[in-house]
Amino acid sequence: MAFLVLPLAGLLVRAPWSTLPRRLSEPQVLEALRLSLVTASVATVVCLVLGVPLAWLLARTDFPGRRLLRALVTVPLVLPPVVGGVALLLVFGRRGLVGQWLESAFGFSLPFTTAGVVVAEAFVAMPFLVIAVEGALRAADVRYEEAAATLGASRFTVFRRVTLPLVAPGVLAGGVLCWARALGEFGATITFAGNFPGRTQTMPLAVYLALETEPEAAIVLSLVLLAVSVLILVALRDRWVGAAA
């Protein structure tokens, strides 16, 4: 416990509490916070749109290669984020597999843009959502879905009116975890999107930059991320306690 708690305690002890309000109101801090909140929220929406159907596919259907697909979904969890950023560059960069087509067809390039931040965050955060939603789907009682199907409801209607309400707590928990992971993403973001203030410099990148020049500012930014993490833990506490019980 000391090993886990002491670093956090050190952050609180060394925080410049007397100058905290002034530092939090600095333009670069507010800009990094705004960008982090926006990109993490957009990345979470992307993960919900793509991840919920993928979780349903893994939980409700049986097809060849399902185990392999589930393993591939969890790869970003164990892949070093910097490697993920390099992989994104090789696919979406100007000379990448998809990026060169985007460049030639639409004149659009993802790397080193705000959209690139969203892509990097979604790539590393989506497994948290998929795992949470898949677990909720496997725990849900399929008899309600079968009953709706026997009454003539289409598969989409069953999914929208029965399945989603049943697994809504799991989707919410997965979405919150996904958002938190996107908010704290560093390695893939700096590799794929760079560190440009106002455009790609999120809170973790601002912490890294401030640590080299102004350690007190880095502590303030770290406190903001720590507060967000604590709020997320409090929000999900009832779900985890209920699951443990």
Side-chain angles (χ1 to χ4, degrees):
M1 285 302 299
F3 175 74
L4 296 174
V5 172
L6 279 177
L8 302 179
L11 188 64
L12 295 173
V13 170
R14 296 296 298 273
W17 295 107
S18 59
T19 61
L20 187 63
R22 176 178 61 82
R23 291 185 178 276
L24 286 176
S25 62
E26 291 178 354
Q28 61 270 24
V29 174
L30 294 176
E31 183 61 31
L33 179 59
R34 182 198 65 81
L35 185 64
S36 293
L37 295 176
V38 170
T39 55
S41 299
V42 175
T44 301
V45 172
V46 172
C47 292
L48 285 168
V49 172
L50 300 178
V52 172
L54 178 57
W56 181 88
L57 183 70
L58 294 173
R60 286 287 190 268
T61 61
D62 190 12
F63 56 91
R66 185 177 64 172
R67 291 185 178 180
L68 176 61
L69 180 59
R70 183 180 290 113
L72 291 175
V73 167
T74 58
V75 165
L77 289 176
V78 296
L79 188 71
V82 174
V83 177
V86 172
L88 289 172
L89 276 175
L90 295 177
V91 174
F92 295 109
R94 291 185 176 181
R95 297 184 180 179
L97 300 176
V98 177
Q100 61 182 348
W101 175 76
L102 291 175
E103 179 77 18
S104 61
F106 303 101
F108 179 71
S109 180
L110 277 175
F112 310 110
T113 63
T114 304
V117 177
V118 173
V119 170
E121 291 177 347
F123 176 76
V124 299
M126 189 180 295
F128 290 87
L129 175 73
V130 174
I131 291 173
V133 176
E134 183 187 359
L137 284 166
R138 291 186 178 277
D141 193 341
V142 297
R143 291 178 297 179
Y144 296 105
E145 301 175 31
E146 294 171 350
T150 59
L151 293 174
S154 65
R155 297 188 72 175
F156 178 73
T157 301
V158 172
F159 178 76
R160 181 172 58 89
R161 301 292 298 274
V162 180
T163 307
L164 276 182
L166 281 175
V167 300
V171 174
L172 178 62
V176 172
L177 289 174
C178 178
W179 183 83
R181 180 65 185 88
L183 187 70
E185 169 50 32
F186 174 82
T189 302
I190 197 172
T191 305
F192 182 63
N195 186 14
F196 300 100
R199 190 171 66 184
T200 65
Q201 188 181 90
T202 57
M203 288 287 285
L205 273 63
V207 170
Y208 176 78
L209 184 64
L211 193 60
E212 298 179 342
T213 58
E214 196 176 359
E216 287 192 351
I219 295 174
V220 171
L221 294 170
S222 300
L223 283 175
V224 174
L225 293 176
L226 176 62
V228 170
S229 301
V230 171
L231 289 175
I232 290 170
L233 288 174
V234 172
L236 295 180
R237 178 182 178 277
D238 291 338
R239 173 174 172 78
W240 286 337
V241 170

